[in-house]
Amino acid sequence: MWGPNGHGAILLVNCDSERTYGKRRDSECAEVTRVSDLKDMSPMVLRTSGPAKLPEGYKLTMHITQGDAESVRVFGTRSTDYPLVLGSEDLSKEVPYLGGNAEMNFYVEGLRFPDKDFEGLISISLSLLEPSSQGFPETPIFTDRVVFRVAPWIMTPNTLNPVEVFVCSTSDNYQFLKGMRRLVEHSGYKLKVCHQYMNRGDRWMQDEIEFGYIDSPHQRFPVVLDSPRDGELQDFPYDELLGPDFGYVTRMAYNEEVSSLDSFGNLEVSPPVTINGKNYPLGRIIIGVAFPTATKGRNMTKVVQDFLWAQKVQEPIALFSDWLHVGHVDEFMTFVPAPDKKGFRLLLASPDAGYKLFRGLQNDRHGQAKMFDGRLSVRGLISVYVVTAAVPQSCIDWNRDVLKRELGLDDDDIIDLPILFHVTEENRAVAYYPDMVNMIVLGKNLGIPKPFGPKVDGRCALEAEMTSLMEGLGLSCTYIDDFASYHKLLGEVHCGSNVRREPFSFKWWNLEM
Amino acid sequence: MWGPNGHGAILLVNCDSERTYGKRRDSECAEVTRVSDLKDMSPMVLRTSGPAKLPEGYKLTMHITQGDAESVRVFGTRSTDYPLVLGSEDLSKEVPYLGGNAEMNFYVEGLRFPDKDFEGLISISLSLLEPSSQGFPETPIFTDRVVFRVAPWIMTPNTLNPVEVFVCSTSDNYQFLKGMRRLVEHSGYKLKVCHQYMNRGDRWMQDEIEFGYIDSPHQRFPVVLDSPRDGELQDFPYDELLGPDFGYVTRMAYNEEVSSLDSFGNLEVSPPVTINGKNYPLGRIIIGVAFPTATKGRNMTKVVQDFLWAQKVQEPIALFSDWLHVGHVDEFMTFVPAPDKKGFRLLLASPDAGYKLFRGLQNDRHGQAKMFDGRLSVRGLISVYVVTAAVPQSCIDWNRDVLKRELGLDDDDIIDLPILFHVTEENRAVAYYPDMVNMIVLGKNLGIPKPFGPKVDGRCALEAEMTSLMEGLGLSCTYIDDFASYHKLLGEVHCGSNVRREPFSFKWWNLEM
């Protein structure tokens, strides 16, 4: 039972790997990998109270159902090892009766996460068997059982403190790496670099993986969700991240096509919110899809969507991201911490805000101020807006309405950033200059794609505007040059990085469901 | 929302067949089979109220999700036909805007029953689209939706009135058929005979199928559940029963072994009950399985169990039937209507009741009275009891406790019938003489396997006991000779027949869930 007054036991999916050689997840190993592996299981104590011996032929048996055997295993304790007691090969096994008042220790291991066909509840039963004659099975005359709920996989929003930041090193991103290293180390966090031999030129660290965690009263560890995107980075999460107390989970798209919308730049999570009195203390997951009304469109694969919905504790919201060429929600939105109101602001890309800024510059006689490459003036940017902004703005407005409704936001909770899009030949949108909303959030420090906007009095007008918007929230902006190595390849700082964050202090089992 | 104050729409699985040639279920046909097929769908009215015309480029679109497309289709209406509007090929389609106050009629068709991975809820949305420039998809600016719940498959207990009775005709069961015909026609019901060309010698009409029905405010029809048993009768339900307003559903055991426990003599349903204040106005399904503590044992396949549980409205109870050689719950229990108490009695086979009867006869100096074949006396029956009764009685007692607890029964609600079992070399039980509890219940008339018990004063002592027990409930007993053609093949009257019954007057959607 959920909630602060709920009850019942909690189980972790043993999806990390304690093995030193021949890496596999512990749940895939036939036996307890190392003694430290026991910490990832739930201790289960069998307390018996009765006569010194059971009457002749009576015995105790522990058992699970065939359906639950896909999701759980039970290990026992002996002097020297931890033998498998229950699993898919053994649904029922005798346990010794020790006599008098006794306790026996078991370890219960979760094997799979809640999903479309698995609510997350499993039970383990103990029966007292009465002997039967003639080879008939013994009769269970008393049965007790304990119910476990498998801990959900939980995502971490930008408002949680970072632990470490991941980026790729490629042959052409030295400048970017330098900027990131300075920002991350200055902010007091750890930068982890995935090298070329592992990333094979795939720089989109955001897209291959999503960091989350699983939590129980006895143990907690990070778990990486591996996207079915499977670019050249595909081996990184399993080979490099999976390890002791670092779990791994993935969903394969067997009968479905994988599209750009399966990249996890298209999978984000909001800070905690309350909507019409309903609390989401772990926030809500945000994904991007096609309009439900579209006759054809790209989507996130059903297996991943089903997985996300089945975790239950961060009920997802589907936005419309298929209007973008790349199609990721992180191209037009992010969240930053704030000292007031709801504790955060939603930042949205806004062609209209861009227009307002550039019109203001023109009115202040800066119409000839040039973008970084000298080719385009403020006046030119205004004409880009006039030609291309209508559709991107209306798509963002549509998402804004959804976000306001589904996160319980007011207009005051939203900040519009001056960002223009242009439209490709396939009628999809791409950021016109480095997309400042596609930032990395490290506490109060933001790593923002350097926009290379028109210079006014020697200062980039876009940076000035951005900095002034963020300063009011006590946030400090660092502009990172990602132009050649990311922006031109249709991504930015956020697409090229990933942040593992501290877990929520709020415990998921205290949710009212 | 469930309950008398609930709301929402109801959908039937269109699992009957209106086709005259090339039989298929209507839900498997690409188009509306006949106009009469529309009655099996839920009418859906789209009411619009607005200007005479929508502004240029605006339009209405109806849509469903990819997940729901497995479970639902929508047909429209034209002057001459009913075109498919939404299905797995078309998740979204424009619907014309008629202007002013207008109504448009649609028909919604269910494609599959609730199951482990399908809760039974589907939604159909209607959106108003705003035009976009440059080939972008139109933006949905207003969406309304209706939610349907797929009607569950409902079983009918013995306390409901029969409509027709099904039996097989084989080369050796003329005697049995004659007895059944007399009983059924005398009771005022219809006897339907499945002939040899169709049954190919498989006489176990109870085991291949289970009759149930589906119900909605606009339509109701019987639906046969076809067992994965698939004996020689396997074509009968699809070829002979499926038809206009007669539906068909089955579950295949792809990766599982099918055992004798998959026969539907092992699938029954109780009359309506109340347990600790919780109402089950449609009764509870009863199945037989192995003890959950058994290290090996036969079971009903998971696909069928999952299907039964997913219907929700007749929450199943699992009994222990694997102690029997054939392994069906109808070998040791049935329900008969009663004018008092809970409106029914549970009848249980009882070796102890047999012993009591035979001891009484012996005490009354009838110890030498002989069973039908002259080989065994009452004295001999007592020794059969002494040697073999302990285990069967304890297995039945275990089930009795489960039934009392799960159906909220007192001892007064249960009648013990004098039935002995013997135990085979494989340590499983078989009825020693025709198993009277394996009866057919037709209103107040019972068709009972003729037990051929010891004759006392020219009358079978078992029949006398049975008749006297049933007479008190206003029930009339007819004893049918099934000895050679059924009993010797390890089945009886119930195993060899099946009854389609009237539906409950209680509507499933009024259940409080």
Side-chain angles (χ1 to χ4, degrees), chain B residues 145-317:
Chain B
R145 66 178 192 144
V146 59
V147 178
F148 289 83
R149 184 181 290 281
V150 175
W153 179 78
I154 299 172
M155 286 176 60
T156 54
N158 285 348
T159 44
L160 291 173
N161 279 335
V163 179
E164 42 190 18
V165 176
F166 291 81
V167 289
C168 290
S169 149
T170 64
S171 60
D172 59 359
N173 77 341
Y174 176 74
Q175 213 35 48
F176 171 81
L177 264 190
K178 213 170 91 177
M180 287 295 280
R181 181 175 303 278
R182 197 178 298 140
L183 167 68
V184 172
E185 290 176 356
H186 166 258
S187 306
Y189 308 114
K190 209 164 165 181
L191 186 76
K192 293 234 177 157
V193 177
C194 170
H195 293 284
Q196 184 104 29
Y197 74 89
M198 175 57 65
N199 69 48
R200 295 171 288 197
D202 183 353
R203 68 198 66 205
W204 308 113
M205 182 54 87
Q206 182 65 218
D207 290 339
E208 188 59 46
I209 56 175
E210 187 74 37
F211 289 111
Y213 68 97
I214 57 177
D215 195 6
S216 72
H218 61 281
Q219 173 71 311
R220 177 174 75 195
F221 55 77
V223 175
V224 61
L225 175 64
D226 185 3
S227 163
R229 160 189 188 259
D230 288 349
E232 293 298 319
L233 261 171
Q234 65 170 308
D235 295 336
F236 171 67
Y238 197 92
D239 290 354
E240 300 275 306
L241 296 176
L242 171 61
D245 294 344
F246 206 118
Y248 172 95
V249 60
T250 189
R251 283 296 176 273
M252 311 281 197
Y254 289 109
N255 296 313
E256 286 180 275
E257 255 180 73
V258 167
S259 76
S260 173
L261 273 64
D262 286 300
S263 292
F264 287 166
N266 197 30
L267 169 62
E268 300 299 320
V269 63
S270 82
V273 291
T274 299
I275 305 123
N276 300 326
K278 181 162 185 203
N279 290 322
Y280 294 88
L282 304 173
R284 296 187 68 176
I285 288 171
I286 293 169
I287 64 167
V289 298
F291 276 139
T293 53
T295 47
K296 55 190 175 199
R298 298 170 298 172
N299 246 307
M300 186 175 275
T301 51
K302 201 164 166 299
V303 281
V304 172
Q305 289 200 42
D306 286 345
F307 172 83
L308 296 173
W309 255 269
Q311 306 312 307
K312 283 192 188 151
V313 297
Q314 299 179 304
E315 190 189 329
I317 303 166

Side-chain angles (χ1 to χ4, degrees), chain B residues 93-170:
Chain B
K93 200 170 272 178
E94 184 179 352
V95 295
Y97 176 75
L98 301 176
N101 293 313
E103 294 198 349
M104 255 163 83
N105 294 308
F106 295 88
Y107 293 93
V108 185
E109 179 187 50
L111 303 180
R112 63 176 188 139
F113 282 93
D115 214 326
K116 190 172 169 60
D117 62 348
F118 174 47
E119 220 210 325
L121 292 175
I122 67 104
S123 31
I124 297 173
S125 301
L126 187 91
S127 294
L128 176 62
L129 298 185
E130 189 171 63
S132 294
S133 55
Q134 296 164 311
F136 272 87
E138 295 98 339
T139 314
I141 55 174
F142 176 78
T143 298
D144 200 2
R145 66 178 192 144
V146 59
V147 178
F148 289 83
R149 184 181 290 281
V150 175
W153 179 78
I154 299 172
M155 286 176 60
T156 54
N158 285 348
T159 44
L160 291 173
N161 279 335
V163 179
E164 42 190 18
V165 176
F166 291 81
V167 289
C168 290
S169 149
T170 64

